[in-house]
Amino acid sequence: MNITRFPWRATLAAATLAVAAAGAWAKDVTLLNVSYDPTRELYQDFNKAFAAHWKAKTGDNVTIKQSHGGSGKQARSVIDGLDADVVTLALAYDIDEIAEKAKLLAPDWQKRLKHNSAPYTSTIVFLVRKGNPKGIKDWDDLIKPGISVITPNPKTSGGARWNYLAAWGYAQKKYGSEAKAKEFVGKILANVPVLDSGARGATTTFVERGVGDVLLAWENEALLALKELGPDKFDIVAPSLSILAEPPVAVVDKVVDRKGTRAVAQAYLEYLYSPEGQDIAGQNYYRPIDPKAAAKYEKQFPKVTLFTIDQVFGGWAKAQQTHFADGGTFDQIYVRK
Amino acid sequence: MPFSRALLRRHTVLPGFDLAFGFALLYVCLLVLVPLSAAFLKTATLSWDAFVAATMSPRVVASYRLTFGASLAAALVNAVFGLLVAWVLVRYRFPGRRLVDALVDLPFALPTAVAGIALTAIYAQNGAIGQWLPFKVAFTPVGVFVALVFIGLPFVVRTVQPVLEDVNREFEEAAATLGATRWQTVTQVVLPIVMPALLTGFALAFARALGEYGSVIFIAGNMPMVSEITPLIIITKLEQYDYAGATAVAVVMLTVSFVLLLVINALQAWARKRQGGV
């Protein structure tokens, strides 16, 4: 009976070594991406792509957790201690507040990544009922008597602030003065029957409750609504002029340094700028900033002339102070009545 | 401190009072006093002028009017109709009584946002009830009132019900044999017994309505000066990172509610005494 003995011992040793070695370089990393409401679908797709990319590049397993909610509320959670490795919010102002109130990242965070740290852009468009029964073509139609406009409350919704500033920028350009712009936006707000506290709520009011003739909406939300609800119910109307919304992204310095995740977090955001990242943005109805990807998805977006918040309002901090702080133009337009 | 020790010792029929008292005090402090005093401390960072500006601007004052007015109206309606529901549940036997009894508790268990969305769907102009009404309910102050009635109902029913069950029928029979009409029996015999419980239910429903956010926010329409509730103003201030302003408004609300609840408590004590102490 001469059985060759299977070299158990050696195998076991080798296996242990292999596991240990693999363990040494195949790390498991978890990132938390704190974002705002309408990016849910975008990041579900993107996270899968990035995890695969990172695995191929470094062999590490990266799991990305998502947190969504109103942009301002999300920023407050981070200020109050939610361990976000990266934040991807609706407005630069919200990240500015994280930098200022909690000092979790440097004040110049917006210069760190290309294109004002905004890897994709969006704008504000009109969603109207099928066939556009009220004949709404541009911002001027929104101040007509008898037109009912749905937009959320700019005090509680980041999207609503973009709506408000888009209307303001249009009026200022067309009628030439701040005072005229204020009057114009005041007239639009006088046609608003409901101020929901968030963008999704406003969409529900318009779509489900049948209130209003026109919904001011994020372009990606409007396109998504059209895809989900069927193009037989609603039309998208692009105004002649609108605002270039740049939802920014940033690494939260203090958190990644404490958790030792800086490299992954940085790569995660940079990957948004890669051809694949840009492609995913386009598929989710965000306008890619890379010219090649932008050309590929050009057809799905309406043609709108866009202005930036820096051009017209001198940046977010200033716009926030002038328009939305207590006693700002928004309050004046309302409370004077 | 012999006096206070004596005070605390006075009614110790059961053992373990010291420990239980200490625990109760600590528990209430940790859960109620500490978080609330944090609100007051945060407010203290404001100057007096800033405090007045934050809490007395026309928009905020309009929201107090709506919040306190609608809460009071809703609590009154709940007191009347809650008593009626409790009466029916206690005094009559009918098929499906247990089901109705269970239904009363639903507003307790339902997430308020769900209630709000459901009520809005029903009362919107294209909703199941809204389309038949001659006036608008959703997105007006009436909508706020409807939502507050909805969430306040179980408070009245559940405080009045056990007391009604205990009302001795012999009193009513005695009243009847002495020649009282049914109306006299109810107003002069039954109501006084139920009154303290009814006031408690009213106070609870009122307090709950004051703080309500989720169910109201969807149906209110949130128009400044018209249908904005105070809790929304607080959220609005938080959304602008104005923590001190938000807590200032919260402090005003807390103080006013506390005074109102004290008054109701006093009323309740008075009603109880008048009825001969229970």
Side-chain angles (χ1 to χ4, degrees):
Chain A
M1 287 284 198
N2 200 354
I3 303 164
T4 320
R5 281 172 61 102
F6 188 79
W8 285 112
R9 228 168 253 255
T11 313
L12 200 72
T16 316
L17 213 75
V19 168
W25 63 72
K27 282 183 295 185
D28 288 319
V29 196
T30 308
L31 287 185
L32 175 62
N33 175 5
V34 171
S35 194
Y36 64 110
D37 260 332
T39 57
R40 201 177 309 260
E41 294 79 10
L42 166 68
Y43 280 106
Q44 266 163 16
D45 293 352
F46 178 75
N47 291 345
K48 254 184 251 150
F50 177 74
H53 162 78
W54 194 247
K55 178 89 185 160
K57 193 175 162 198
T58 64
D60 292 353
N61 301 309
V62 56
T63 316
I64 300 128
K65 290 194 206 146
Q66 295 172 256
S67 164
H68 295 271
S71 188
K73 192 183 111 244
Q74 295 291 81
R76 272 202 322 285
S77 307
V78 175
I79 290 173
D80 294 341
L82 179 65
D83 270 345
D85 298 275
V86 296
V87 283
T88 54
L89 296 176
L91 327 165
Y93 179 73
D94 287 329
I95 303 183
D96 281 342
E97 286 296 306
I98 299 174
E100 199 200 309
K101 288 252 153 48
K103 311 265 185 270
L104 290 176
L105 65 170
D108 69 341
W109 62 270
Q110 205 167 5
K111 299 208 177 70
R112 290 199 207 150
L113 288 163
K114 276 183 292 180
H115 202 268
N116 279 333
S117 290
Y120 40 79
T121 66
S122 190
T123 186
I124 300 300
V125 296
F126 304 163
L127 194 67
V128 297
R129 304 202 181 277
K130 186 72 196 171
N132 198 357
K134 297 278 172 106
I136 291 159
K137 298 258 156 31
D138 209 343
W139 292 101
D140 288 299
D141 297 312
L142 304 189
I143 65 170
K144 288 182 182 156
I147 297 288
S148 169
V149 183
I150 304 298
T151 173
N153 186 343
K155 292 234 172 190
T156 50
S157 156
R161 276 175 241 172
W162 287 113
N163 294 349
Y164 178 102
L165 294 176
W168 189 284
Y170 169 84
Q172 192 171 322
K173 181 140 192 224
K174 181 156 182 196
Y175 300 105
S177 76
E178 287 262 323
K180 285 270 168 56
K182 191 170 163 184
E183 194 191 326
F184 186 86
V185 176
K187 278 184 186 158
I188 293 183
L189 289 175
N191 280 343
V192 175
V194 179
L195 278 180
D196 284 289
S197 55
R200 279 277 155 99
T203 309
T204 311
T205 298
F206 182 74
V207 172
E208 308 282 339
R209 316 262 179 270
V211 177
D213 302 310
V214 51
L215 171 75
L216 305 185
W218 286 102
E219 181 181 58
N220 63 302
E221 282 273 273
L223 286 164
L224 198 66
L226 218 57
K227 191 180 114 185
E228 299 284 318
L229 304 161
D232 53 325
K233 282 196 187 137
F234 301 100
D235 284 331
I236 290 179
V237 171
S240 62
L241 185 70
S242 194
I243 196 162
L244 179 73
E246 297 175 302
V249 301
V251 170
V252 184
D253 292 334
K254 285 242 173 94
V255 176
V256 292
D257 286 345
R258 180 161 41 83
K259 287 167 67 175
T261 48
R262 180 177 282 278
V264 195
Q266 186 69 27
Y268 177 72
L269 292 188
E270 275 164 8
Y271 195 62
L272 281 167
Y273 291 85
S274 73
E276 198 176 3
Q278 290 288 299
D279 212 43
I280 293 169
Q283 282 162 16
N284 285 282
Y285 305 113
Y286 280 93
R287 297 182 177 223
I289 54 151
D290 176 61
K292 220 185 265 167
K296 183 176 166 195
Y297 289 98
E298 193 180 26
K299 278 210 189 88
Q300 73 182 12
F301 300 112
K303 293 241 177 329
V304 188
T305 312
L306 300 172
F307 60 85
T308 68
I309 187 162
D310 290 349
Q311 284 164 5
V312 178
F313 301 96
W316 258 112
K318 217 171 148 203
Q320 176 72 27
Q321 196 54 39
T322 320
H323 295 280
F324 308 119
D326 277 348
T329 53
F330 175 73
D331 279 353
Q332 292 165 22
I333 290 169
Y334 259 118
V335 177
R336 285 244 176 103
K337 267 186 280 183
Chain B
M1 289 286 177
F3 173 70
S4 64
R5 279 205 82 77
L7 195 74
L8 290 180
R9 285 282 163 111
R10 222 168 24 182
H11 294 297
T12 42
V13 179
L14 294 171
F17 175 71
D18 282 346
L19 192 63
F21 180 74
F23 176 76
L25 207 61
L26 181 74
Y27 195 75
V28 171
C29 277
L30 279 182
L31 282 172
V32 180
L33 269 180
V34 171
L36 288 189
S37 47
F40 279 85
L41 281 177
K42 190 85 200 172
T43 313
T45 60
L46 286 173
S47 70
W48 179 248
D49 287 345
F51 178 79
V52 172
T55 55
M56 288 299 142
S57 76
R59 215 173 132 194
V60 181
V61 172
S63 82
Y64 297 143
R65 212 175 296 136
L66 174 66
T67 302
F68 285 100
S71 299
L72 196 67
L76 281 172
V77 166
N78 273 328
V80 174
F81 291 94
L83 177 63
L84 197 68
V85 172
W87 181 265
V88 168
L89 287 176
V90 170
R91 287 300 170 93
Y92 301 98
R93 291 293 171 269
F94 53 92
R97 189 181 69 94
R98 294 203 164 228
L99 191 70
V100 176
D101 200 32
L103 276 178
V104 169
D105 278 337
L106 264 191
F108 271 154
L110 203 64
T112 51
V114 175
I117 290 171
L119 286 172
T120 315
I122 291 167
Y123 283 101
Q125 276 145 294
N126 63 355
I129 298 179
Q131 59 180 322
W132 305 108
L133 293 175
F135 53 91
K136 273 171 72 175
V137 173
F139 314 126
T140 69
V142 183
V144 176
F145 167 77
V146 170
L148 295 182
V149 169
F150 175 81
I151 53 129
L153 180 70
F155 289 91
V156 175
V157 178
R158 288 298 178 239
T159 42
V160 171
Q161 208 174 5
V163 179
L164 266 182
E165 258 157 18
D166 284 349
V167 171
N168 204 334
R169 290 235 180 165
E170 284 161 20
F171 292 166
E172 288 171 60
E173 282 159 14
T177 50
L178 290 171
T181 62
R182 193 67 191 135
W183 177 248
Q184 278 173 322
T185 314
V186 169
T187 53
Q188 292 181 20
V189 177
V190 179
L191 262 189
I193 301 175
V194 176
M195 204 36 128
L198 189 61
L199 275 171
T200 307
F202 171 78
L204 287 175
F206 178 61
R208 173 65 201 277
L210 286 177
E212 183 57 28
Y213 179 77
S215 63
V216 177
I217 216 66
F218 295 97
I219 203 171
N222 309 321
M223 300 306 290
M225 310 297 292
V226 179
S227 57
E228 244 180 357
I229 54 166
T230 309
L232 177 70
I233 298 269
I234 296 173
I235 299 279
T236 303
K237 288 194 184 290
L238 284 178
E239 204 69 38
Q240 297 168 72
Y241 307 101
D242 180 8
Y243 290 68
T247 46
V249 177
V251 160
V252 169
M253 253 194 103
L254 267 179
T255 313
V256 177
S257 335
F258 193 64
V259 169
L260 284 173
L261 290 177
L262 270 183
V263 170
I264 297 171
N265 256 342
L267 264 176
Q268 209 181 314
W270 173 78
R272 209 161 261 168
K273 206 182 275 172
R274 198 168 141 258
Q275 192 215 315
V278 176

